Amino acid sequence: MSIDNHQHLEGEMTPLQRELLLELRKNSARAVMLHQTISEKLGLNATDHKCLDFLMNSGPVTAGKLAELTGLTTGAVTNVIDRLEQAGYIMRDKDPNDRRRVVVKPVREGVNSISPLFESVLQRTLQIMAQYDERQTSVILDFLKQCNDMSLEEMNKLK
């Protein structure tokens, strides 16, 4: 999209929508920077750290499933898995349902070392969330789910 097209689209927005778009961009950039800072403390890169986060939420998965969850290519995920295993954050194991397949899963000790870095973020996020009633929270949740789906779709288009 050219700068002119971008400005044209922004010109069609209400002031509130423009402010929301600006804050979304700022939130995205700050989230990247926060996770880069945390990743450096862990001796990881940001992609490895976020893949580990997907693993912590999904439980044991195959490399293919992790690629699907993250939007990364299977080749990129294989490299991530290698680095995370070498750093002691995950392990490869036989799939209990199909012994020919391998699943990757977080190593409790490695994952437990990460949690303290997020304690403050979690507490402050819960405080922010407490300011909204159920209806407002539902709207925010729907918006974020749609944004997350859109991000994954856009990543897949770029592969």
Side-chain angles (χ1 to χ4, degrees):
M1 174 182 294
S2 72
I3 291 174
D4 291 336
N5 283 348
H6 187 78
Q7 289 172 339
H8 173 72
L9 290 175
E10 283 189 6
E12 296 176 3
M13 291 187 244
T14 68
L16 185 61
Q17 288 171 325
R18 275 194 297 278
E19 185 176 1
L20 177 59
L21 184 60
L22 178 63
E23 289 301 319
L24 282 168
R25 291 177 67 184
K26 193 185 302 182
N27 177 263
S28 173
R30 287 190 177 160
V32 168
M33 299 305 171
L34 171 66
H35 289 287
Q36 178 62 37
T37 301
I38 290 172
S39 297
E40 288 172 4
K41 285 195 170 294
L42 298 170
L44 300 173
N45 67 47
T47 300
D48 295 353
H49 173 238
K50 294 317 298 174
C51 285
L52 180 58
D53 188 46
F54 275 100
L55 272 174
M56 289 165 46
N57 288 315
S58 69
V61 295
T62 63
K65 181 65 176 176
L66 185 58
E68 182 183 313
L69 290 170
T70 61
L72 297 173
T73 65
T74 53
V77 164
T78 298
N79 291 329
V80 167
I81 291 169
D82 289 343
R83 289 189 299 269
L84 287 173
E85 184 177 43
Q86 185 175 16
Y89 289 106
I90 65 163
M91 63 180 285
R92 289 177 166 98
D93 202 4
K94 296 279 185 196
D95 184 335
N97 300 319
D98 183 349
R99 304 292 290 168
R100 295 169 294 175
R101 291 177 27 171
V102 173
V103 294
V104 292
K105 58 185 181 183
V107 172
R108 183 176 307 277
E109 297 79 22
V111 171
N112 286 346
S113 69
I114 297 171
S115 297
L117 298 174
F118 284 97
E119 189 59 35
S120 175
V121 173
L122 175 60
Q123 292 306 315
R124 292 182 69 189
T125 301
L126 293 173
Q127 289 171 354
I128 293 168
M129 288 170 48
Q131 299 174 46
Y132 300 94
D133 65 29
E134 284 291 310
R135 186 190 64 74
Q136 293 169 318
T137 301
S138 179
V139 170
I140 294 167
L141 178 61
D142 178 65
F143 178 81
L144 288 173
K145 283 181 175 181
Q146 288 188 57
C147 285
N148 289 335
D149 289 345
M150 177 269 304
S151 292
L152 185 59
E153 289 168 11
E154 292 298 319
M155 285 176 61
N156 286 328
K157 280 189 211 175
L158 295 170
K159 286 184 185 176

